[in-house]
Every structure is written in structure tokens, then in C-alpha cells.
Amino acid sequence: MAAPLEPAQMRTYFALTEAVSLLQHAVQQQLQAEGGLSYVQFEILAKLVDAGRALSMTELADGVVYSRSGLTHQAALLQRSGLISRHSDPQDQRATLVEITTEGRDRVARVLPGHIQVVRRLLFDPLSDQDVSALGDIMSRALQQMRALPPRSAAPRRRERSGPR
Amino acid sequence: MAAPLEPAQMRTYFALTEAVSLLQHAVQQQLQAEGGLSYVQFEILAKLVDAGRALSMTELADGVVYSRSGLTHQAALLQRSGLISRHSDPQDQRATLVEITTEGRDRVARVLPGHIQVVRRLLFDPLSDQDVSALGDIMSRALQQMRALPPRSAAPRRRERSGPR
DNA sequence: TATTGTTATACTCTATAACTATA
DNA sequence: TATAGTTATAGAGTATAACAATA
């Protein structure tokens, strides 16, 4: 039997999940309203802007939790909207290089101020510099842990769902 | 023009969103694998257990971001699985009272240990008691702010989507 | 034989609008 | 007239499996 969480841990867990849930919801609303973008689509565009170069589908998928087919689908939508372009990599004909278009950059530029405003209003406004620093420190440590941990199932390869659907 | 976030804020925002995203993903996997429950379904059941009494659909919707129809849909699924029951409220014939069944309680009991284990392993293990306390404090303050703020659109009632879909 | 990516398909989730019934 | 909830329907997101092409 697993011991229950301590009361302080419970409080923290609930505050964290609920706050982030509200924040995510607000951000998604803003991105959709001001740019017609889902959060995932924004993430893809932001990643391309941040990289400053074309990225392969595999590189794009890194850090995103999606399946390859899910990424292909989103990339197809973004391409149809003219926000990215895709070409096969001359170096490796199997790979697809994804590049952000000028229109894509413009779209990011259009939604970014509102995005920042939401995050600031909802998250940072009530926090002191010390809070921000402590929060960043704590979550960075948690993140390191999450990345270091093996996936929960013992199976290293082709993990399959074990439970009832 | 909105000023960009400060570097420390950026770092914190990214660490927070990525860590919570990984945590959510792990939790969702666990709930699905061990209990065949989506996170929303688990939330509904947990809320009923926590309340210790039957709740109306409106009460259930409180704190959840969903539309009424979404909640109706999820409740229908849970009822079909025998995890909740629904009856109309004798006090107010318009209302539907939702009650968790024994099977529903069993299901919660079945998934809870694994749920706790995931949260502990991914989030709390690398944190000190001070960290947990600080994190809870900070996120509670942010949460308070989020609840206090008016929705972003000025329209108080029937807000409509203003941007392109 | 392994890797990269796409396609086909199906399922889940959520939302909007219209509707019923009750207050 | 307002509120509680459901239904019908549609759209978006994600996943699995099968597939094609290249390494």
C-alpha cells in the first residue's frame, strides 16, 4: 500500500494543477482568439523561430509528447495555412525539413504580446522576484527529475497499454 | 507594445509549463492504464468522493472548465460504466443529482495509489519540505489572482469568440 | 534491417446551438 | 423570463497500424 500524500503535498499538488490548468485555458483562448492557433501549433511555430533554422520532423517532435502522426497532422494544417513550408532534406532523403514562413513569423509576432500579457497578468503579477526565482528553481529541479526517470513501464521498447481501455 | 518577459520569468514559465505537461501526461497514462479513466473522469469521481454526498451537475461543473454538454457527456459515460448514478433532485426537478456508486468508489481506490506514486516520483521526490511549502504558497497566491481576475474579454455575459477560428 | 515520415482510420474530447422541462 | 440539463451535431486532437521510401 502506498502511503497517502502529506497534507502539505496535497495542498501543493492541487494548487499547482489547478493554477496551471486555468493558465493553460486562458493561454489557449488567447492564442485561438488572436491568432487562430492551437497551443500545439503555437509551440511548433515558436520552436522554429527559436531554432532560427529549419528543423526535421523528428527534431520538432523532441520535447513534444505527440505521436509522429499527430505532428504530421499539425504540420499539414500549418502548411495549408501558409505558416510553414516542408521540403525533403537533401542530406537525408528520408527526412522532412520544416521551415517557418514570413507569414508564420508574422503570426507569432501577432499573438506573442497577448500571450505574454496573459502569462504576466495571471501568473507573475502577484509574485515577487524572489517567488519567480524560487518557482523557477523548484520546477527546474522537478523537470530534471522527470527527464531522468525511465518511463513508468519497465518495457524499454514498444511499450503497450496494459490496462483496460 | 508589451514588454517581453524578463529572462528569469521566461525560464520559470518554461520550466513550469514543461514540468506540468510531463506530469499531466504521466498521470493520464497511469489513470488510463490502471483504471480506464480519463483525467476528467477521475476528477469527477474524486470530487464526488471528496464531497461525501451527491452533487448536482452544476456543482460538479464548478471548478471544471468544461461546457455543460461536455460534462453531460462524461457523466453519461461514467453512468454507462456503472461508476455513478443520476437522479433528478426532489427539491428542484430541474436539477440532476449525481451520486458515486460502490463500483465508482472501488475504481477510485484502485487507481489512487498509482496516481499518488506517479506524483510523488515525478514531482515531490526531488523536493525538500521547504520546496513543497514554498511551491504551495506561490501557486496558491497565483491561483487566488486567477480567480479574482475578470475574464479577459470585457463582455461580462455571453462572451463570444472575437478572432478567426 | 532500422529509420523517417505519411496515410488511413477510428476514437475521444469539447463546444455550439437548439431543445425540454422546471422555477 | 431565467435556470438546469440534455441532445444533436460538428470539429479538433490524438493515437494505432499499415505503408512507402531511404539509410
Side-chain angles (χ1 to χ4, degrees):
Chain A
M1 276 295 113
L5 292 177
E6 291 165 30
Q9 291 179 327
M10 292 277 278
R11 276 199 320 112
T12 297
Y13 177 55
F14 289 142
L16 178 67
T17 52
E18 186 168 352
V20 171
S21 162
L22 287 177
L23 180 60
Q24 284 175 337
H25 195 254
V27 162
Q28 280 163 20
Q29 291 261 107
Q30 182 269 328
L31 290 174
Q32 190 60 248
E34 295 180 13
L37 296 174
S38 71
Y39 185 72
V40 175
Q41 290 164 0
F42 173 73
E43 263 189 318
I44 293 171
L45 294 180
K47 204 158 174 172
L48 288 168
V49 169
D50 191 56
R53 62 179 179 87
L55 296 177
S56 69
M57 294 293 282
T58 298
E59 285 175 311
L60 262 185
D62 280 353
V64 185
V65 204
Y66 305 112
S67 58
R68 289 177 303 163
S69 65
L71 180 58
T72 295
H73 176 61
Q74 291 301 329
L77 291 180
L78 287 171
Q79 183 169 31
R80 218 180 50 188
S81 302
L83 305 181
I84 64 169
S85 65
R86 288 186 287 180
H87 313 281
S88 68
D89 185 345
Q91 307 296 311
D92 181 343
Q93 295 280 3
R94 294 173 303 178
T96 298
L97 286 179
V98 181
E99 196 168 10
I100 190 167
T101 63
T102 301
E103 205 182 333
R105 286 179 199 281
D106 290 350
R107 190 69 64 93
V108 171
R110 186 164 105 206
V111 297
L112 202 50
H115 180 99
I116 289 170
Q117 202 184 341
V118 168
V119 173
R120 179 175 285 140
R121 248 173 40 111
L122 269 61
L123 180 64
F124 290 126
D125 271 359
L127 302 184
S128 69
D129 288 354
Q130 283 80 9
D131 289 334
V132 173
S133 157
L135 179 60
D137 184 67
I138 290 170
M139 294 317 291
S140 297
R141 234 175 314 139
L143 188 52
Q144 242 185 306
Q145 164 87 345
M146 294 177 194
R147 286 185 177 136
L149 281 176
R152 198 149 168 288
S153 68
R157 205 109 180 111
R158 284 197 148 283
R159 61 215 141 133
E160 40 187 334
R161 307 187 171 278
S162 56
R165 295 308 307 265
Chain B
M1 274 296 114
L5 293 177
E6 291 166 29
Q9 290 179 327
M10 293 277 278
R11 278 198 318 111
T12 296
Y13 177 56
F14 289 141
L16 178 67
T17 51
E18 186 168 354
V20 171
S21 162
L22 288 176
L23 180 59
Q24 283 175 339
H25 195 253
V27 162
Q28 281 164 19
Q29 291 261 107
Q30 182 269 328
L31 290 175
Q32 191 61 249
E34 295 181 13
L37 296 174
S38 70
Y39 185 72
V40 176
Q41 290 164 359
F42 172 73
E43 262 189 318
I44 292 172
L45 294 180
K47 204 159 175 172
L48 289 169
V49 169
D50 191 55
R53 62 178 179 88
L55 296 176
S56 69
M57 294 295 282
T58 298
E59 285 175 310
L60 262 184
D62 279 353
V64 185
V65 204
Y66 305 112
S67 59
R68 291 177 302 164
S69 66
L71 180 58
T72 294
H73 175 62
Q74 291 301 328
L77 291 180
L78 288 171
Q79 182 169 33
R80 218 180 51 189
S81 303
L83 304 181
I84 65 170
S85 64
R86 287 186 288 180
H87 313 282
S88 69
D89 185 346
Q91 307 294 311
D92 182 344
Q93 294 281 2
R94 292 172 305 179
T96 298
L97 287 178
V98 181
E99 195 168 9
I100 189 166
T101 63
T102 301
E103 204 181 334
R105 286 179 199 282
D106 290 350
R107 189 68 65 92
V108 171
R110 185 164 106 206
V111 298
L112 202 50
H115 180 99
I116 289 171
Q117 201 184 341
V118 168
V119 173
R120 180 175 284 139
R121 248 173 42 111
L122 269 60
L123 180 64
F124 289 126
D125 271 1
L127 302 184
S128 70
D129 288 354
Q130 283 79 9
D131 290 333
V132 173
S133 157
L135 179 60
D137 185 67
I138 290 170
M139 294 317 291
S140 297
R141 230 173 319 135
L143 188 52
Q144 243 184 305
Q145 164 88 345
M146 294 177 194
R147 287 185 177 136
L149 282 177
R152 197 149 167 288
S153 70
R157 203 113 183 108
R158 284 196 148 284
R159 62 215 141 134
E160 40 187 333
R161 305 184 171 279
S162 56
R165 295 308 310 263

